[in-house]
């Protein structure tokens, strides 16, 4: 009996099981968001909230599609170095795209971005494409859509040879900061300029993992992340993605707005209220749990 319980516990904490649990929870959350879509009050979306969608690719190229997923994930990490932006976690974004059947189709039309942004709870949504250019160059292009105002920031792009495509992502990140009027400190700029890996094969493997996760394929996601780590043991994003898969982690409760959304669901309120912007900062997991318990037991 004890052996059976131990085996069950080990299975429950395996990378594939953790990813599957996290994906299932994100899917349930996405379904709830779409079910109450008509009741979403866009004016309550935090002004600094931001989401980056996977770079779309019109090509069926076996390299470009996973690269689009990997590089958009790198872009999230780099843009997040600015405290002026607060990001929607990748798993929530992926779940919404699954529900809207936009995982590989992508969002390249700015007119479609506001709906995605409202469902995600993101004031700004970055949409973009990855394309092959002359020679072996890769081009990344992006627009930032304001969900409430409906405005679209000027198209920005960056390119680099395939073997140095991360240079294009870094250049694009700097262009996005410039378009948004965000000034980086020297230390923030240094963090953005750091490369997670220079191993192209590892980046492609990582992108396959992110893409598999976006399709709800836990086993495929783990296989991709594991391959990326095997190809480059120092690839921190791959190691983190392989080990984490937070099924009930603090990432799921990473902001005051997210806590209020969950609290509203607990009391069947259709729309979550928003705290003043000054209070709209990340909370520690222990603080989040305390707030949730307080709300749930209130009469």
């Amino acid at each position: 009996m004890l052996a059976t319980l131990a085996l069950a516990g080990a299975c429950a904490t395996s990378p594939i099981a953790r990813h599957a649990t996290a994906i299932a929870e994100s899917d349930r959350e996405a379904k709830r968001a779409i079910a109450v879509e008509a009741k979403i009050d866009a004016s309550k979306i935090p002004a600094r909230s931001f989401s980056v969608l996977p770079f779309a690719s019109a090509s069926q190229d076996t390299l470009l599609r996973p690269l689009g997923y990997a590089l958009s994930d790198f872009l999230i990490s780099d843009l997040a170095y600015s405290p002026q932006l607060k990001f929607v976690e990748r798993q929530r974004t992926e779940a919404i795209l699954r529900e809207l059947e936009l995982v590989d189709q992508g969002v390249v039309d700015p007119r479609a971005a506001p709906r995605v942004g409202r469902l995600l709870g993101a004031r700004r949504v970055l949409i973009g494409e990855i394309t092959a250019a002359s020679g072996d160059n890769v081009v990344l292009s992006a627009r930032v859509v304001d969900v409430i105002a409906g405005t679209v920031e000027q198209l920005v792009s960056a390119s680099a040879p395939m073997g140095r495509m991360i240079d294009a992502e870094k250049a694009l990140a700097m262009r996005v900061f410039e378009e948004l009027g965000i000034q980086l400190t020297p230390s923030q700029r240094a963090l953005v300029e750091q490369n997670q890996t220079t191993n192209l094969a590892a980046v492609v493997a990582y992108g396959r993992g992110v893409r598999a996760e976006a399709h709800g394929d836990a086993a495929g996601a783990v296989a991709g992340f594991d391959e990326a780590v095997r190809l480059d043991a120092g690839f921190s994003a791959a190691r983190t993605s392989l080990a984490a898969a937070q099924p009930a982690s603090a990432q799921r409760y990473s902001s005051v707005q997210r806590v209020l959304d969950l609290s509203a669901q607990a009391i069947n309120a259709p729309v979550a209220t928003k705290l003043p912007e000054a209070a709209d900062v990340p909370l520690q997991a222990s603080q989040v749990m305390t707030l949730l318990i307080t709300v749930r037991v209130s009469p």
Side-chain angles (χ1 to χ4, degrees):
M1 180 65 174
L2 290 177
T4 301
L5 291 175
L7 179 60
C11 291
T13 57
S14 71
I16 294 177
R18 291 198 305 270
H19 278 75
T21 300
I23 288 169
E25 291 183 356
S26 296
D27 283 343
R28 286 193 291 270
E29 188 176 303
K31 291 180 188 299
R32 287 195 294 267
I34 291 175
V36 298
E37 180 178 1
K39 299 179 181 179
I40 294 175
D41 185 349
S43 68
K44 291 185 170 64
I45 297 176
R48 294 184 291 113
S49 54
F50 202 96
S51 178
V52 175
L53 304 188
F55 288 110
S57 173
S59 170
Q60 299 295 323
D61 191 295
T62 56
L63 284 182
L64 284 186
R65 281 202 167 175
L67 279 177
Y69 281 88
L71 295 179
S72 63
D73 190 67
F74 294 167
L75 187 61
I76 292 172
S77 297
D78 287 342
L79 295 178
Y81 285 123
S82 169
Q84 296 184 47
L85 300 173
K86 184 181 67 178
F87 282 84
V88 176
E89 62 267 25
R90 190 183 75 208
Q91 284 187 345
R92 177 168 171 79
T93 299
E94 291 169 345
I96 290 294
L97 293 180
R98 278 196 296 277
E99 289 301 310
L100 298 178
E101 299 182 352
L102 290 173
V103 173
D104 273 340
Q105 178 181 342
V107 178
V108 293
D109 186 344
R111 293 173 296 182
R115 183 190 181 196
V116 176
R118 288 193 299 272
L119 289 168
L120 290 172
R123 171 64 181 266
R124 289 190 177 99
V125 177
L126 185 146
I127 59 175
E129 293 182 87
I130 179 170
T131 56
S134 59
D136 67 343
N137 283 356
V138 173
V139 178
L140 299 178
S141 57
R143 289 182 173 90
V144 177
V145 180
D146 187 307
V147 170
I148 296 178
T151 56
V152 182
E153 299 288 345
Q154 178 182 345
L155 175 69
V156 295
S157 64
S159 66
M162 179 71 75
R164 297 176 54 194
M165 75 290 170
I166 293 180
D167 292 349
E169 180 273 320
K170 299 294 183 183
L172 183 63
M174 293 303 184
R175 293 288 305 278
V176 172
F177 282 130
E178 181 181 340
E179 288 297 321
L180 294 177
I182 294 176
Q183 298 292 322
L184 298 177
T185 65
S187 61
Q188 289 167 351
R189 180 177 290 271
L191 289 171
V192 172
E193 291 173 347
Q194 289 180 352
N195 282 342
Q196 295 204 38
T197 182
T198 57
N199 187 319
L200 176 59
V203 175
V204 173
Y206 181 74
R208 290 190 183 117
V210 176
R211 184 185 177 205
E213 188 177 73
H215 279 279
D217 177 5
V222 170
F225 299 145
D226 186 64
E227 177 69 2
V229 172
R230 187 187 68 77
L231 292 167
D232 183 354
F235 190 172
S236 60
R239 293 201 318 271
T240 300
S241 294
L242 181 63
Q246 315 86 342
S249 72
Q251 274 200 12
R252 306 229 342 148
Y253 312 102
S254 59
S255 68
V256 170
Q257 182 65 33
R258 188 77 197 101
V259 172
L260 291 175
D261 288 343
L262 291 174
S263 301
Q265 292 168 11
I267 59 176
N268 295 319
V271 178
T273 56
K274 180 181 181 301
L275 295 181
E277 191 67 16
D280 191 16
V281 296
L283 297 175
Q284 298 297 321
S286 58
Q287 294 173 302
V288 172
M289 291 308 297
T290 300
L291 179 57
L292 283 175
I293 290 171
T294 301
V295 173
R296 288 181 184 278
V297 300
S298 298

